[in-house]
Amino acid sequence: MPTISLASNAADSEALETIERQHAELVGGLSTRTAALLAAVRRDAGWEGARDALVTWCRAALIRHHEAEEAVLYPATRELPALEPLVRAMAHEHALLGALVARLASTDDAPSAVAQAGAAQTLFETHVAKANDLLLPALVAARDTSVAQLLAEMHTMLRGAEQGVAEAAENPEHRPAEGPPGHVCGCHDEPDAAPELDARTIPHAIRHATIFGALEAVAPAASLILVAPHDPLPLLQQIEQRWPSAFAVEYVERGPETWRLRFTRTAAEPATR
């Protein structure tokens, strides 16, 4: 059941939505790159490149995001003693995620790489749930805390991280192979089949943001199939506005209960936001 947070002003309400959207995009990006590693291991096709792409992105995006949380969000809870155990546990999760990324970077064993990546994905999704459902609502409810100001401070810290992600994306050696976030099933596995993202398994409130994060990780000329419970016309409009002419869209299945669309990234690199 989603948490309802009552912000004291419009700025804090908008900031809360922005942070939750950013979390969803990170979840989508991590899931896609993790699935790309798994797919490469299954195909026995240069899995080390997919591992390196995942590690590079984790260091530039996830770990930098965690550093900003510890520098900005967590100190803001000092006047809220009830949050101290939660914040301590979340900081420990940051350390665990950093250790998993370090182990992933150093492993030369494919099964171990898949295990480390899967553990990192599970840990991060759990961490995000705590942030969205427990930490952020408490900060919003604290009348003397400006979530909008905290978000602005985090953005200042993360500008360098965003540049790092962009530079990693421009490096061909660090481009992730195609791979799905969220639910990945083997029921449609074929040698040349695109992986699937089942949007029906993603909570509605963060569905579009998660899909955006997943599409950002799709390599040029690669594809991702989206499974939806309805014809996602509003989503298609948002994708076109976000990345004009960056994805070719083909309907693989048109209802009545399931819609399946293939998104293929064109040769042109999409400009994010």
Side-chain angles (χ1 to χ4, degrees), residues 5-20 72-73 76 135-155:
S5 302
L6 299 178
S8 59
N9 56 69
D12 278 358
S13 178
E14 182 177 351
L16 178 64
E17 293 178 359
T18 297
I19 295 174
E20 291 178 343
V72 177
L73 286 186
L135 179 64
L136 291 174
L139 288 175
V140 166
R143 301 300 179 182
D144 57 347
T145 301
S146 170
V147 177
Q149 179 60 36
L150 295 176
L151 177 61
E153 293 177 15
M154 286 186 64
H155 278 175

Side-chain angles (χ1 to χ4, degrees), residues 40-272:
V41 169
R42 285 175 173 172
R43 296 194 307 267
D44 193 22
W47 66 268
E48 293 90 346
R51 174 205 59 196
D52 294 344
L54 174 57
V55 169
T56 297
W57 182 84
C58 283
R59 288 172 171 168
L62 290 193
I63 292 178
R64 289 295 299 275
H65 183 82
H66 286 173
E67 290 172 349
E69 284 184 337
E70 292 193 13
V72 177
L73 286 186
Y74 293 1
T77 67
R78 288 171 182 162
E79 302 303 320
L80 303 171
L83 290 181
E84 195 274 336
L86 171 66
V87 171
R88 187 171 63 249
M90 294 180 71
H92 181 60
E93 289 170 351
H94 288 175
L96 287 177
L97 184 63
L100 286 169
V101 173
R103 293 172 194 163
L104 176 62
S106 62
T107 186
D108 57 2
D109 176 71
S112 177
V114 170
Q116 301 292 348
Q121 179 179 338
T122 300
L123 177 61
F124 183 67
E125 290 177 353
T126 301
H127 180 83
V128 164
K130 290 179 181 177
N132 289 349
D133 297 342
L134 300 174
L135 179 64
L136 291 174
L139 288 175
V140 166
R143 301 300 179 182
D144 57 347
T145 301
S146 170
V147 177
Q149 179 60 36
L150 295 176
L151 177 61
E153 293 177 15
M154 286 186 64
H155 278 175
T156 299
M157 287 194 63
L158 289 172
R159 285 194 187 103
E162 292 172 356
Q163 180 62 31
V165 172
E167 291 174 356
E170 292 173 0
N171 186 343
E173 294 182 358
H174 290 158
R175 290 191 187 279
E178 58 180 299
H183 168 68
V184 182
C185 68
C187 53
H188 297 280
D189 283 351
E190 298 175 5
D192 298 322
E196 292 188 355
L197 164 62
D198 192 342
R200 298 170 300 181
T201 67
I202 303 171
H204 188 270
I206 61 170
R207 185 173 296 168
H208 284 196
T210 305
I211 293 169
F212 294 154
L215 288 174
E216 283 184 348
V218 176
S223 298
L224 178 70
I225 291 179
L226 175 68
V227 182
H230 58 81
D231 193 351
L233 294 178
L235 172 67
L236 296 180
Q237 293 175 354
Q238 291 177 13
I239 291 172
E240 180 60 24
Q241 291 173 357
R242 189 181 179 98
W243 299 299
S245 303
F247 291 94
V249 182
E250 172 192 1
Y251 280 84
V252 180
E253 182 178 350
R254 290 181 179 267
E257 296 182 357
T258 301
W259 276 256
R260 185 171 279 107
L261 295 81
R262 180 189 299 270
F263 290 84
T264 302
R265 181 178 288 189
T266 63
E269 189 70 23
T272 303

